Amino acid sequence: MLIKKVIIGSIASLGLLFGVAANQAVAAENAEITQFQRIEQPLWVKGAVTAGGLALIGLEIWWFILSKSKSQTAANSDGIQEVNITVDGGYEPSRVVVNAGQLVRLNFLRRDPSACLEQVTFPDFHIAKDLELNRVTTVEFTPQKPGQYTFACGMNMFRGSIEVVRARQN
């Protein structure tokens, strides 16, 4: 997660730096010109800008469409399905698979100090819990019907899902 933040921060910083530098140079050079002029750029600059734009488009497609959420099936011990979830810039794992009709225990360990992740909500189960920093907070419920249920941070910016499946008969 730290690598993603560094990459995004670097790209944003470079964009801001190039934008400000280019605007100041053009403004100082053309202070008295009142109409637009064509500015010729070397071919390598055009190629670099095009390649950078395509790379950013590819990164966005991968980030929003192709990256898969990590899934984990709950471990079943003494009739309790238990999963440990780390809260650090999101939820890890962000998708949990459990059986219907059995108690589910989700152990949230919050490592991210941001205010958004101070709370986790389960709207379908009418549960909202505050998550203390660097402490495990347990959320328990028993899903009755199979389906997809979401959980989210208090601001609904970070989300995860719980897939409830029918319990297998042995």
Side-chain angles (χ1 to χ4, degrees), residues 54-153:
L54 291 174
L56 287 174
I57 290 169
L59 179 66
E60 288 178 359
I61 289 171
W62 173 81
W63 182 271
F64 290 108
I65 298 172
L66 301 176
S67 66
K68 303 279 185 200
S69 61
K70 295 189 178 174
S71 177
Q72 183 175 344
T73 302
N76 199 338
S77 174
D78 297 327
I80 299 173
Q81 303 173 90
E82 192 164 10
V83 176
N84 296 325
I85 299 175
T86 304
V87 182
D88 191 5
Y91 299 104
E92 181 79 24
S94 60
R95 185 173 169 268
V96 177
V97 180
V98 298
N99 293 324
Q102 288 183 304
L103 180 66
V104 174
R105 179 179 294 152
L106 302 176
N107 300 314
F108 288 90
L109 173 59
R110 179 174 159 237
R111 297 198 176 187
D112 190 326
S114 66
C116 180
L117 293 166
E118 287 179 347
Q119 187 180 53
V120 64
T121 62
F122 296 80
D124 296 310
F125 300 106
H126 305 291
I127 298 172
K129 283 269 190 158
D130 292 331
L131 304 177
E132 291 186 46
L133 189 60
N134 296 317
R135 289 232 166 95
V136 174
T137 303
T138 301
V139 175
E140 292 183 341
F141 58 93
T142 304
Q144 298 300 326
K145 294 189 296 184
Q148 287 273 40
Y149 302 95
T150 60
F151 60 93
C153 68

